Structures are given as C-alpha cells and as structure tokens.
Amino acid sequence: MVPDKDIISAFTESADEGYRKLMDAYGNYVYTIVSDKVRSMGCEQDKEECVADIFIETVQTCRNHDFKIDSLKALITVISKRRATDLFRKLGAFKRQTEDIDDYSDTIAETATPENISENRTDKAALWNEVIKLGKPDSDILIQQFFYCRTAADIANMLKMTTAAVNKRSQRAREKLKKKLNLKEVH
Amino acid sequence: MDNKKDLLDEMLSDNSGNDAETLEMISENCEVLSGEQKNRILDMIREKESTDKKTDEIIDDDSEDDNVMSVVEFRNRKSIAVKVCAALAACVCIAAGIKFTGAMNRYFISPDDEPEKTTGVSESVSETSAVPATDNSEVITVPATGYVTGISEQVRKTEITSVNAVSDKYVTTAETGAGDVSKNADTKQVTEQVIAANEIVTGAAVSETVSEKTTEPAEENKESTVTLETEYHEVSQTEVTAEQEESKLSEYMGLYKRMFDKTLFSELSNSYNDFQYIVYDINKDGVPELICEHRDKLRNESIINFQTIEYNTVSSLDVKESDYQVTRVPLRNGKDPNYIVNGSVTFFEDSNTGRLCIEILDNGTGSMVSFDMDGRVVYEADALCKFEYGDDYNLFRDEATKKFSISEIEFGRVRVSECSVMSGHDKIRDLETGEYYFYDEKYMSTP
C-alpha cells in the first residue's frame, strides 16, 4: 500500500505520476465502493468513468487544501460514496416509481431496527470473511462472480484459466463454504 | 441440498448495504482492476483534466468580446492582404509571361485561365480560412465543453414529499427564490396534497404528481405565495451532482421550515442509508447554513464531514474524526428512537448560544460531552438517568451550573434545556450521590 505522503509528494512532481500512485493505492477500493453501490445497473464504462471522476475530484479537493489532508482515505471514501450515489441515481432514475406519502406518514420508514441492521451487516462481513479464508483463486472467483457480477468468461480471462475451470472451482468453493458455515452454526 | 446451495448463492448475491470495513476487506483481498482498465481510467482522467483546463482558460478570458472583434478585423485584414499579394504575384507572372513570349499585345486572359486565377484566389482565401487558429480565434469557434456547473434554475416545485429512509425521497417544498410562504398550511393539508418523490435527473424526466388537482406549469421567475397545490414540471436536462442536489434541497428545506415554523432540521438519506444529511438553519433565518453528513464507521473512526452552504455552493469545512460510531437521528417526527450503538454522536444546536454542537453520549456511563465546532466544550455532564420515554430524553446535571437539565431530541435536534416539564417521571436517582429526587415543574426537590 502506497503511503499517503508518497502520493501527495508525487503530485508535487507530476500529476501523471500522482494519479498513477493514487490508482495503485486506492483504485481497487474506489472501484469496490462504486460496484457496491451500482451493482449490475451500470456497465464497466460507467463504473470506470465514475472512478475517474472520483480521482479528479479527490485531487481537486486536495489542491484546494494545499494537500494538507489528514486522511486521504477518509476523503476519497466520502467522495466515492457520493459519486457512486450520483451514478446510482442517474442509472436508476427512470426505474423509480413515485409513491404517495400517505402510505408512509404514520409508519416507521423501515422495519429494520438498529439491531437488525447491525446484525445483517455483521453477517455479511462474516460471510465475506469466510469467502476470503477459502484462499485464492477460489476467493477471487467468488468475489468476482457475486460481488462484482462478472461472467465466468471475464473471470477466466482475468485469472488466466478456462471458463470450465472457473465454473468448477466456483461450484466447489461454494460447497466448501456451505460446509464451513453449517459447521459454524452447529458450534 | 439444492435449496441450501441456492440460499448460499442468494446470500452471496445480496450485497446491498455492505459497511466500509467489508468493502475495504474485499478490495484488499481481490485485485479487481486489470492493468488495461487502470490505463483506461488514467487516460480518461488526462482527457477530462485537459478539457477542464481548456474550459477554465476560456471562461477566465474576460475580454472575450473584444478579442472576438479584434480577431474578426484581423482576419479580414489578413485576407485582404493575402488577396493583394496574390494579385501582385499574378501581375508579376503576367509581366514575366509577356516578356518571355515577347508579345507586346494586349494581355488576354482566356476563359481557361480565369478559373485558375479564381481558383488561385479562392485557394488563397481558403488558405486564409485555414490559417492556424490562434488562441483568440478559438474563442470564436470553440464549442461548449467542460462540465456544466451551477444550479439549474429551471426546476420549480411546490410539491412536498416525505423523508423516507427506504428510498431516495425527501421533503421538499416550494419553489425556489423568496416567495411568501403561507403559514396557514397545517400538516394535514400538506399530507393531503403531498406528492411523490422528485429527482433531478439527466434527461427529460418529469416530476409526477399524485394529487388529483389539476396543475399548470409554473413560470420561472414567478414570485407567489407558496401553496400546497401540486404542479407539473419538466425538470432540467442538466446533469446534477449530489452537491447541487443538496443545495437545491437545502433551499426547499428552508422554505419548508418557514412554512411550518420549524427550525433547524431536515433529513435526507440515500437508498442504502449509508449516509444521511441533516440540514441546519443556525441563525434561524429560514435559509439553511449547514449540512452535516453522517457516515459509517471506518475501522474505529467516524468521519464527520461539515459543509456550509453559501449561495448554493457547498464547501467542505473540515473532516473530523471521532471514536464513536455516528448515530442516526430520528426520522421525520422525532418520535423514532435513536439508533445508538456503543455510544452515539448527535448534532444539535445549543439553545443558549445557537451554536452547532456535537453531543457524544456514552451509553455505558451516561455521560455527555458537547463540543462546538471549534472544539470547545459546551457541556459536560453525567446523565442521572435515562428516561424510557422513547429514549428521547436524557436528564443530567450540568457540571458547570450544577443544575439539572434535560436533553431532548425533537426533529433530530437535541435541545438542552433547564427545567422542562416532564410528566410521568416523578422520581429520579442521582447516579453520583445515589440520592433520589422528585421532579416537579419548578425543579428537583429531595424527597
């Protein structure tokens, strides 16, 4: 992981080099945030453009503050979430339906309670933790398949495997995962 | 077996609302961007930055009109000069031709030659046109590029929608600009006439109304009494960013507040509830000054982003970190309980000073420390007991004044006040001394 100060010092020398270092440090992270928000609503180009916009805005904000930023990660996270939300709204705009406020005026906005929300998030975190524990390339396959919604062919291309091998590995990994989770439940 | 496997697939596929830690963990453990993708993104960045730079240079050019005129004159002069030179050159050629042929007759331009000459002249003219553009000439011809910024003024709304944590709906009001607000509207009237959510989106999206009343489009600069009738508007086709939308919404919030004579609070949330915005009107002039954005924990840190709104622009004041997970303030009518997880941070206005404060409430000890935005401690107190009045109230003793105070949450605002009347709670216990007190209107009295 490239430290923030190296990234910032790279910008003082060359914007190109700065962006490259920023990409190396946070490219994956930003893309993950965007993917989490947008899911399969947008194509790869939309997501890549969103990532580009996020980096530009981050650097612009840093420049406005003379690069005196306490936490580059915090800043880029906030900007990423906003831009991802913009993209989500843009892509999903026409799919939304209008609803009458009277349907909601006397009821709580959602049935989720703080406990539910917290529990749900903990469960998801635990699930992905278990996926990562499977080890590569199984974990990569499952993450690419279910989190980033990539096809087996794309995953095969990325991991330099055949499509059939990816499908097989995915199936086995899920079997393994299921057994692990069942075991954990029992205990 | 298949069902269980399907269930697992469903769990893996259900990825909405992952917290920041999970996202971080996933991004660290799985390389998702290929080299090719990274290069594509970097190319996009270079292209966008250079386009922005050009647009900025053009926008910064203050004497644009003069330059346009001077360039036009310059080009005219240039074309004339070239024409003259071409004519002279032609004459020289003709003279040379006459000399060489030895003909002393009158020069005769055959029909065949003329087109050439014409062509020659027009070529030179076209060459003139094709003269490499100077910076000034770009001023004339450059197309509109760059990012569209600024608030679109084309949207006028009189609809009111609800703030809803489930989807991207928010309470908006009235048209922009300063209109006289009808203060006679009551909540019932509002709910009867309320409309669905509005979104400012790219394209010709329209804001639909659900009301049965007939509507007509509002004129753009119309100043009128804000009514609760619904109107049908075609929204701007300009792409609007989150900040622009925030600014727009903040205007509506201000009017909304005036309408109902409420101050300080409104709330938005995105569809995943990952962060919420709370709009504050600190100086109670009906125009919001502050939007506070709550976001989730990042490791053990919470990032609180302060923003101010000035003339529809949003600038970041500061990014502070705290050790507490940011709490969600109650929704809509203030009757929903706080989401408190291992302590809470709440933004509120100090009713004494009018300053925005942060209340950090430790659920374990019940202590409360409030800071203003400059980091100065405003209140420091231990809660005596926590009322079970929907968890909306905390009674505590102010260490500075040694007086009992109540912090109550109403519409997302924590108001710290002395001696509020609380019915149904006639006995409280001082956690410090262990003594019991009766609570009455005047104050506390020992039993």
Side-chain angles (χ1 to χ4, degrees):
Chain A
M1 174 77 165
V2 183
D4 287 356
K5 59 177 184 196
D6 288 354
I7 298 171
I8 289 168
S9 66
F11 272 106
T12 54
E13 293 163 11
S14 146
D16 236 17
E17 186 58 29
Y19 274 116
R20 198 165 284 280
K21 286 213 154 108
L22 194 65
M23 174 70 71
D24 290 339
Y26 293 110
N28 239 23
Y29 179 55
V30 168
Y31 187 87
T32 305
I33 292 175
V34 172
S35 294
D36 182 58
K37 212 40 112 202
V38 170
R39 292 281 132 212
S40 50
M41 278 172 77
C43 61
E44 281 303 313
Q45 200 179 357
D46 289 331
K47 292 180 194 174
E48 285 170 13
E49 196 174 341
C50 187
V51 171
D53 289 339
I54 287 164
F55 280 137
I56 290 171
E57 187 174 339
T58 304
V59 171
Q60 190 56 48
T61 309
C62 289
R63 282 183 182 136
N64 291 345
H65 290 80
D66 291 328
F67 287 98
K68 287 174 189 160
I69 303 288
D70 286 341
S71 171
L72 198 56
K73 188 168 200 172
L75 180 70
I76 209 167
T77 306
V78 172
I79 292 172
S80 301
K81 287 204 166 184
R82 282 187 197 162
R83 293 295 145 255
T85 303
D86 284 346
L87 182 63
F88 169 79
R89 285 173 178 172
K90 181 179 159 186
L91 293 172
F94 295 106
K95 293 175 192 172
R96 271 196 209 98
Q97 295 169 352
T98 55
E99 294 174 41
D100 196 329
I101 191 178
D102 287 336
D103 293 340
Y104 299 95
S105 59
D106 294 325
T107 57
I108 295 172
E110 53 184 352
T111 52
T113 61
E115 290 78 19
N116 283 352
I117 293 169
S118 181
E119 208 177 298
N120 201 19
R121 287 197 171 168
T122 312
D123 287 346
K124 281 181 193 167
L127 177 63
W128 287 110
N129 206 19
E130 290 303 320
V131 167
I132 286 164
K133 280 182 185 171
L134 291 173
K136 290 176 185 281
D138 292 346
S139 59
D140 282 356
I141 290 170
L142 289 183
I143 290 172
Q144 295 282 358
Q145 185 179 354
F146 289 99
F147 188 88
Y148 294 110
C149 302
R150 291 208 162 134
T151 61
D154 290 337
I155 298 168
N157 203 22
M158 281 187 81
L159 300 178
K160 309 276 187 289
M161 296 165 79
T162 62
T163 311
V166 165
N167 283 326
K168 201 73 189 166
R169 273 200 171 261
S170 167
Q171 192 183 351
R172 283 183 193 157
R174 277 178 282 156
E175 289 288 341
K176 223 190 283 181
L177 189 63
K178 192 182 64 177
K179 278 183 191 156
K180 256 191 177 179
L181 293 173
N182 283 340
L183 217 62
K184 278 204 164 194
E185 254 184 56
V186 164
H187 288 308
Chain B
M1 190 87 146
D2 283 341
N3 283 341
K4 284 190 179 172
K5 193 180 164 190
D6 292 339
L7 181 62
L8 178 63
D9 285 358
E10 205 180 296
M11 283 167 66
L12 287 167
S13 304
D14 175 24
N15 280 309
S16 57
N18 284 301
D19 61 15
E21 280 177 29
T22 309
L23 296 178
E24 210 183 326
M25 178 176 68
I26 290 170
S27 68
E28 281 172 3
N29 281 281
C30 178
E31 192 68 35
V32 64
L33 287 176
S34 62
E36 202 184 310
Q37 268 182 304
K38 286 184 183 179
N39 286 333
R40 262 206 305 272
I41 294 170
L42 288 170
D43 287 339
M44 268 189 232
I45 291 171
R46 276 186 213 107
E47 200 184 314
K48 284 176 191 258
E49 285 230 303
S50 69
T51 311
D52 271 350
K53 213 178 173 183
K54 249 191 204 167
T55 313
D56 287 343
E57 282 169 9
I58 290 155
I59 290 166
D60 284 343
D61 193 347
D62 290 330
S63 56
E64 186 178 317
D65 289 339
D66 291 342
N67 284 343
V68 168
M69 294 309 295
S70 64
V71 168
V72 169
E73 286 171 13
F74 170 74
R75 288 179 72 178
N76 281 344
R77 286 199 298 272
K78 201 165 182 177
S79 72
I80 291 167
V82 170
K83 281 181 192 172
V84 166
C85 291
L88 279 173
C91 291
V92 165
C93 292
I94 291 163
I98 292 168
K99 189 180 174 183
F100 284 129
T101 56
M104 297 297 290
N105 296 327
R106 192 175 70 181
Y107 176 72
F108 174 74
I109 301 170
S110 71
D112 290 339
D113 290 342
E114 224 170 277
E116 282 174 19
K117 272 207 177 154
T118 311
T119 308
V121 169
S122 61
E123 270 176 6
S124 65
V125 168
S126 64
E127 273 172 20
T128 307
S129 310
V131 165
T134 61
D135 285 343
N136 286 338
S137 66
E138 277 183 7
V139 172
I140 306 167
T141 59
V142 67
T145 56
Y147 295 111
V148 176
T149 57
I151 306 296
S152 164
E153 291 299 324
Q154 293 179 24
V155 178
R156 292 288 181 266
K157 301 177 191 172
T158 57
E159 303 87 350
I160 296 170
T161 61
S162 67
V163 173
N164 191 320
V166 173
S167 62
D168 284 356
K169 298 181 192 168
Y170 41 80
V171 182
T172 64
T173 61
E175 56 189 22
T176 58
D180 284 332
V181 176
S182 165
K183 292 197 177 178
N184 294 325
D186 59 6
T187 309
K188 189 164 180 282
Q189 193 179 2
V190 170
T191 54
E192 278 173 358
Q193 299 184 19
V194 137
I195 314 305
N198 289 313
E199 294 284 349
I200 301 172
V201 295
T202 306
V206 295
S207 58
E208 295 180 358
T209 65
V210 183
S211 168
E212 289 174 6
K213 295 191 180 183
T214 57
T215 64
E216 56 180 8
E219 292 167 26
E220 221 174 85
N221 291 316
K222 184 179 170 185
E223 265 194 13
S224 61
T225 304
V226 171
T227 65
L228 298 173
E229 288 182 3
T230 61
E231 295 196 6
Y232 181 86
H233 297 281
E234 190 167 350
V235 298
S236 164
Q237 298 208 14
T238 308
E239 187 178 37
V240 179
T241 63
E243 284 98 343
Q244 287 170 349
E245 195 170 299
E246 283 165 22
S247 302
K248 207 69 176 156
L249 289 163
S250 67
E251 283 181 64
Y252 302 142
M253 297 307 172
L255 291 166
Y256 171 77
K257 285 172 219 158
R258 282 210 294 273
M259 190 189 273
F260 294 100
D261 203 21
K262 302 284 182 203
T263 55
L264 296 176
F265 166 72
S266 186
E267 182 179 316
L268 314 166
S269 68
N270 70 339
S271 64
Y272 290 114
N273 290 323
D274 284 342
F275 50 87
Q276 296 172 336
Y277 297 100
I278 302 175
V279 180
Y280 286 89
D281 176 8
I282 302 297
N283 58 9
K284 298 185 180 61
D285 63 354
V287 178
E289 284 85 25
L290 194 78
I291 284 181
C292 291
E293 179 189 292
H294 293 231
R295 57 177 296 276
D296 290 335
K297 227 176 179 178
L298 178 67
R299 290 202 178 139
N300 291 319
E301 300 162 344
S302 295
I303 311 299
I304 306 163
N305 198 5
F306 295 96
Q307 296 174 320
T308 57
I309 305 167
E310 279 181 78
Y311 302 105
N312 294 329
T313 61
V314 176
S315 60
S316 181
L317 280 183
D318 195 2
V319 177
K320 290 184 199 278
E321 295 178 350
S322 76
D323 290 333
Y324 292 86
Q325 183 166 358
V326 178
T327 191
R328 297 167 193 253
V329 294
L331 303 172
R332 293 195 304 282
N333 57 10
K335 288 181 184 164
D336 299 323
N338 260 337
Y339 294 86
I340 299 172
V341 180
N342 297 325
S344 69
V345 174
T346 308
F347 297 101
F348 69 99
E349 182 203 325
D350 179 351
S351 52
N352 294 323
T353 64
R355 290 181 66 91
L356 182 72
C357 298
I358 305 168
E359 175 194 74
I360 300 171
L361 184 70
D362 187 335
N363 272 358
T365 64
S367 65
M368 182 181 94
V369 183
S370 302
F371 301 91
D372 65 14
M373 281 175 63
D374 298 324
R376 285 192 295 263
V377 174
V378 175
Y379 290 104
E380 194 164 16
D382 293 322
L384 295 180
C385 72
K386 198 162 177 189
F387 281 58
E388 291 173 7
Y389 204 113
D391 284 340
D392 284 349
Y393 298 93
N394 267 330
L395 183 71
F396 63 95
R397 189 169 66 190
D398 188 329
E399 288 300 321
T401 64
K402 303 299 178 192
K403 286 185 178 175
F404 289 106
S405 296
I406 292 169
S407 73
E408 55 180 314
I409 299 164
E410 185 185 11
F411 293 90
R413 171 188 170 209
V414 177
R415 183 171 56 214
V416 180
S417 54
E418 291 178 357
C419 190
S420 294
V421 174
M422 304 263 305
S423 62
H425 301 273
D426 55 354
K427 200 168 166 183
I428 57 167
R429 185 166 174 255
D430 184 337
L431 293 176
E432 256 187 40
T433 64
E435 288 181 331
Y436 283 96
Y437 293 84
F438 284 115
Y439 178 78
D440 60 24
E441 277 190 37
K442 290 200 179 159
Y443 235 146
M444 301 293 173
S445 57
T446 51

